[in-house]
């Protein structure tokens, strides 16, 4: 056995949870992802998806993806930088820029590679990146690749953010990077206060709208639009894998910054371009959410119902104000157990344990789609309440 194999032979944490029957990951879905899915012959209510608009199985999107497959083939066989740019990519970039209110946009093959690539190059060794300490892992990885000095502030603590900014030199570029909607806890960034501090301390701001697009703002334009602060935000990032029912991501901003990123971002230049089918699917989803505002209205109606019911039944759900509802368990192993019991009861939810959170903050993540019904929510609330009571997490 070699050194590499020797290093990992003792890693058996997943196997320990498998032996207990509570390992929650890599379950196989055998059909389209909607509000109910089949997993290994077991039908469950899907409350573990990021498909907030409920468009992943929409036939219009499937048809557009098929058309692109027929016209362009299955892939581009190269990067956007060389032979992999389609007219379809360029059209989507123009539509995305207009949608989020910026001059230009740049599309990537995944949302993760947007943050990873952009943050690595947009600021340099004499500059600063300042992050909320609950920013997404892709932001963390992106800033680690940067030569900029790295700082962070306590989650949504504006006094702590100001304390950090006060120490920084006026002449340096200072980039505040924040999730618009935090993907685990469901709360919003305090964007109005962040913009005030931006102006006070001469900073730039980048907002990750991965979970905000399709949920907040006019026609789902995101958290920046929701607060009316689009013009004050320098860079807006988004993904296709949530509300846009596809795979990929983008960065949007002023034309000069996007021009630089187009020629300097390694995860863009050295990655194969997004497939024609995925690009066409994202574009059609973008059209649908603008043409059907009632879809987002339905999302918020069912979200408000679920928030009300969980609070009525005594669940601890924190400061969420979105379709992402954290149900706090506050015990890592019990979080896995709750997830397994919920699955057996016909409800799919996601466990959130370290390193995604502190051990005392573990939770199960319950997320809604526009296509969920109040009846489905009610069934899930009743099943989860029984489990939480039996496990001593909430009282009868």
């Amino acid at each position: 056995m070699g050194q590499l194999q020797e290093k990992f032979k003792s890693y058996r944490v997943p196997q320990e949870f498998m032996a207990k029957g509570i390992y929650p990951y890599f379950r196989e879905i055998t059909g389209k992802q909607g509000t109910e899915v089949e997993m290994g012959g077991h039908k469950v209510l899907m409350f573990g998806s990021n498909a907030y608009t409920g468009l992943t199985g929409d036939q219009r999107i499937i048809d557009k993806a098929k058309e692109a497959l027929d016209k362009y083939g299955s892939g581009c066989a190269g990067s956007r930088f060389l032979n992999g740019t389609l007219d379809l990519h360029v059209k989507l970039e123009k539509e995305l820029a207009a949608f989020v209110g910026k001059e230009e946009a740049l599309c990537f093959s995944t949302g993760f590679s947007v943050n990873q690539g952009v943050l690595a190059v947009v600021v340099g060794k004499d500059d600063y990146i300042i992050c909320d300490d609950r920013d997404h892992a892709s932001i963390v990885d992106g800033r680690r690749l940067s030569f900029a000095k790295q700082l962070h502030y306590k989650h949504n603590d504006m006094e702590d953010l100001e304390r950090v900014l006060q120490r920084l030199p006026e002449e340096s570029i200072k980039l505040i990077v924040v999730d618009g909607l935090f993907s685990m806890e469901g709360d919003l960034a305090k964007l109005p206060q962040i913009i005030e501090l931006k102006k006070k301390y001469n900073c730039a701001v980048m907002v990750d709208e991965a979970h905000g697009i399709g949920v907040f703002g006019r026609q789902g334009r995101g958290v920046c639009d929701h607060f009316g602060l689009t013009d004050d935000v320098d860079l807006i990032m988004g993904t296709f894998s949530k509300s846009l029912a596809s795979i990929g991501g983008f960065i949007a901003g002023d034309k000069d910054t996007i021009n630089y990123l187009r020629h300097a971002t390694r995860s863009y230049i050295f990655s194969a371009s997004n497939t024609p089918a995925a690009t066409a699917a994202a574009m059609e989803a973008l059209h649908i959410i603008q043409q059907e505002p009632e879809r987002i209205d339905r999302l918020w109606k069912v979200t408000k119902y679920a928030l009300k019911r969980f609070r009525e039944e005594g669940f601890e759900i924190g400061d969420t104000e979105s379709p992402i509802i954290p149900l706090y368990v506050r015990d890592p192993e019990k979080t896995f157990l709750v997830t397994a019991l919920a699955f057996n009861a016909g409800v799919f939810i996601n466990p959130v344990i370290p390193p995604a959170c502190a051990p005392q903050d573990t939770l199960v993540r319950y997320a809604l789609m526009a296509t969920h019904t109040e009846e489905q929510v009610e069934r899930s609330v009743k099943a989860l309440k029984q489990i939480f009571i039996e496990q001593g997490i909430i009282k009868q």
Side-chain angles (χ1 to χ4, degrees):
M1 183 179 288
Q3 290 177 315
L4 188 67
Q5 291 75 20
E6 188 70 31
K7 177 179 180 179
F8 296 117
K9 73 174 184 179
S10 62
Y11 176 65
R12 289 294 178 266
V13 175
Q15 285 71 22
E16 291 172 12
F17 287 108
M18 289 175 190
K20 295 175 183 178
I22 57 174
Y23 182 73
Y25 304 122
F26 302 107
R27 295 188 186 274
E28 295 179 16
I29 299 173
T30 54
K32 292 177 186 175
Q33 194 163 141
T35 59
E36 294 190 47
V37 299
E38 284 241 355
M39 292 183 171
H42 184 49
K43 194 174 235 185
V44 292
L45 291 167
M46 173 51 74
F47 287 102
S49 173
N50 294 320
Y52 306 114
T53 52
L55 286 170
T56 50
D58 191 285
Q59 193 59 46
R60 293 168 292 181
I61 292 174
I62 294 168
D63 290 342
K64 287 294 182 182
K66 287 179 178 177
E67 287 177 19
L69 194 62
D70 288 337
K71 180 176 180 180
Y72 298 98
S74 59
C76 298
S79 73
R80 288 288 304 278
F81 200 63
L82 298 174
N83 64 300
T85 291
L86 303 177
D87 55 353
L88 202 61
H89 293 130
V90 176
K91 186 172 188 296
L92 178 57
E93 286 172 342
K94 289 178 180 177
E95 292 193 14
L96 285 166
F99 183 67
V100 299
K102 291 299 175 186
E103 288 181 345
E104 291 191 10
L106 201 60
C107 287
F108 291 64
S109 300
T110 68
F112 197 106
S113 65
V114 178
N115 284 335
Q116 188 180 55
V118 168
L119 291 175
V121 300
V122 76
V123 283
K125 66 182 180 65
D126 296 321
D127 304 325
Y128 295 84
I129 294 177
I130 307 102
C131 296
D132 186 294
D133 64 10
R134 291 190 189 170
D135 277 349
H136 189 263
S138 59
I139 294 174
V140 174
D141 279 12
R143 68 175 173 79
R144 284 174 177 168
L145 291 171
S146 172
F147 290 110
K149 299 174 182 68
Q150 325 229 334
L151 302 166
H152 64 91
Y153 59 95
K154 296 173 186 175
H155 176 56
N156 263 346
D157 187 331
M158 296 298 100
E159 289 184 6
D160 196 40
L161 174 56
E162 183 159 22
R163 178 190 62 78
V164 171
L165 295 175
Q166 284 172 339
R167 308 194 314 248
L168 305 184
E170 172 72 19
E171 65 275 11
S172 296
I173 294 174
K174 299 169 284 293
L175 178 65
I176 303 169
V177 188
V178 66
D179 286 16
L181 170 58
F182 289 92
S183 60
M184 295 296 111
E185 295 84 5
D187 54 338
L188 295 176
K190 294 183 177 178
L191 201 53
Q193 295 94 319
I194 290 171
I195 295 302
E196 286 179 12
L197 291 172
K198 165 195 166 163
K199 294 176 179 178
K200 183 175 180 179
Y201 293 99
N202 189 29
C203 302
V205 172
M206 173 175 164
V207 176
D208 181 327
E209 287 276 23
H211 294 267
I213 286 174
V215 178
F216 284 92
R218 296 167 300 136
Q219 297 176 307
R221 295 172 197 270
V223 174
C224 299
D225 184 88
H226 168 73
F227 284 117
L229 294 171
T230 296
D231 291 344
D232 294 303
V233 173
D234 299 272
L235 291 168
I236 294 175
M237 174 270 179
T239 61
F240 305 158
S241 56
K242 280 78 176 174
S243 290
L244 297 184
S246 185
I247 183 72
F250 71 92
I251 189 75
D254 66 279
K255 64 181 180 180
D256 292 328
T257 303
I258 297 301
N259 176 57
Y260 172 76
L261 294 174
R262 184 180 287 113
H263 295 89
T265 308
R266 293 168 68 86
S267 64
Y268 175 79
I269 294 172
F270 295 103
S271 288
S273 58
N274 213 357
T275 65
T279 306
M283 190 182 303
E284 182 63 12
L286 184 64
H287 296 164
I288 290 170
I289 64 172
Q290 292 176 86
Q291 293 161 2
E292 298 180 359
E294 65 275 11
R295 182 173 292 272
I296 297 173
D297 292 341
R298 287 199 304 272
L299 172 63
W300 278 104
K301 183 180 178 184
V302 75
T303 294
K304 289 173 183 176
Y305 180 79
L307 289 168
K308 174 175 172 288
R309 291 295 293 119
F310 279 119
R311 289 188 175 112
E312 287 174 348
E313 297 297 346
F315 288 83
E316 183 188 356
I317 64 172
D319 298 323
T320 181
E321 45 187 319
S322 73
I324 301 166
I325 304 177
L327 307 177
Y328 283 93
V329 178
R330 302 197 180 281
D331 178 281
E333 186 160 338
K334 194 175 281 189
T335 299
F336 273 6
L337 177 59
V338 164
T339 304
L341 293 171
F343 182 81
N344 293 338
V347 180
F348 186 95
I349 47 179
N350 293 310
V352 181
I353 63 166
C357 65
Q360 69 273 17
D361 292 331
T362 66
L363 57 94
V364 289
R365 181 184 184 274
Y366 179 104
L368 292 146
M369 295 180 254
T371 42
H372 277 123
T373 66
E374 291 183 4
E375 185 272 335
Q376 288 174 323
V377 170
E378 194 62 36
R379 279 161 54 197
S380 68
V381 170
K382 287 178 178 176
L384 291 169
K385 181 183 179 184
Q386 182 177 342
I387 293 165
F388 273 57
I389 288 173
E390 289 172 353
Q391 296 305 314
I393 302 165
I394 62 174
K395 296 180 179 179
Q396 180 74 50

